[in-house]
Amino acid sequence: MESGGYPYEHKLDRKIYDAELHDLQVQLVQLQAHLAKTGERVILLFEGRDAAGKGGTIKNYLANLNARYNLIAALPKPNDRERTQWYFQRYVDWFPAGSETVLFDRSWYNRAGVEPVMGFCTPQQTEHFLEEVPHFEKRITNDGIHLFKFWLSIGREMQAQAVSRSPTRSP
């Protein structure tokens, strides 16, 4: 099968893809059971350009999991009150309790990626963020939260095609 614009030579056969996806989803159900038993907490950050597959990845991740233990945080642009708070505060409000996983569809990394480009923050705010984020994330992991960060990549050409086909654009 031809690549069809994918970044690899051949597209994976659908039967093989479905079988591997099923095996991975079984492992996720086992992980959820482990988290429920131990009370451990997980944060998953999904970052990338529009149309990179963040939403689809999250949907596939959650396909067979109990929504009670898995929360999606897709925060909109900060409101007037949130703009005056500590930058990380609105994200901390979404952090997981025992046995929970929180999936951030975009995260605090907006401060380093999207916000400067869109004029939502100053260069000084971006620089301050870059100095603070390693300390912030260290505090998260020191508190016992498992933190995983995923960058989903898509080329500009594929992004333009996907966005032009999409009925709505994400913020």
Side-chain angles (χ1 to χ4, degrees):
M1 201 178 254
E2 300 223 0
S3 73
Y6 294 93
Y8 32 84
E9 191 173 327
H10 299 285
K11 184 176 179 182
L12 188 62
D13 178 76
R14 186 66 193 200
K15 287 182 183 180
I16 295 170
Y17 171 84
D18 288 340
E20 289 185 15
L21 182 60
H22 176 267
D23 291 346
L24 293 170
Q25 288 175 331
V26 167
Q27 290 180 22
L28 290 173
V29 170
Q30 293 170 344
L31 172 63
Q32 181 176 269
H34 170 77
L35 296 174
K37 186 169 104 177
T38 63
E40 292 180 60
R41 301 165 290 159
V42 175
I43 292 176
L44 304 176
L45 304 182
F46 294 90
E47 295 290 347
R49 293 182 181 175
D50 287 348
K54 296 178 296 297
T57 301
I58 290 169
K59 180 181 175 185
N60 278 321
Y61 181 94
L62 297 172
N64 296 298
L65 299 179
N66 186 332
R68 179 179 306 171
Y69 298 107
N70 296 276
L71 310 167
I72 300 172
L75 305 183
K77 193 167 65 167
N79 62 34
D80 290 340
R81 182 172 188 276
E82 290 168 332
R83 277 193 286 276
T84 67
Q85 295 175 333
W86 175 50
Y87 180 74
F88 297 103
Q89 186 168 341
R90 67 194 216 113
Y91 296 100
V92 172
D93 287 344
W94 283 88
F95 278 20
S99 304
E100 291 180 345
T101 297
V102 175
L103 299 92
F104 281 95
D105 186 344
R106 300 211 184 209
S107 70
W108 46 87
Y109 282 98
N110 273 345
R111 177 56 52 115
V114 175
E115 290 183 17
V117 173
M118 301 299 288
F120 295 152
C121 69
T122 67
Q124 294 80 12
Q125 288 172 317
T126 302
E127 184 177 330
H128 180 70
F129 167 82
L130 292 172
E131 291 169 0
E132 292 299 316
V133 73
H135 305 290
F136 174 67
E137 291 178 351
K138 185 72 173 160
R139 287 182 183 98
I140 293 168
T141 58
N142 282 349
D143 197 55
I145 298 174
H146 301 282
L147 175 62
F148 299 91
K149 300 182 276 189
F150 300 93
W151 173 260
L152 303 177
S153 182
I154 184 172
R156 289 177 192 245
E157 183 179 318
M158 289 296 291
Q159 180 188 27
Q161 289 175 14
V163 170
S164 69
R165 288 191 307 261
S166 175
T168 60
R169 291 187 55 181
S170 41

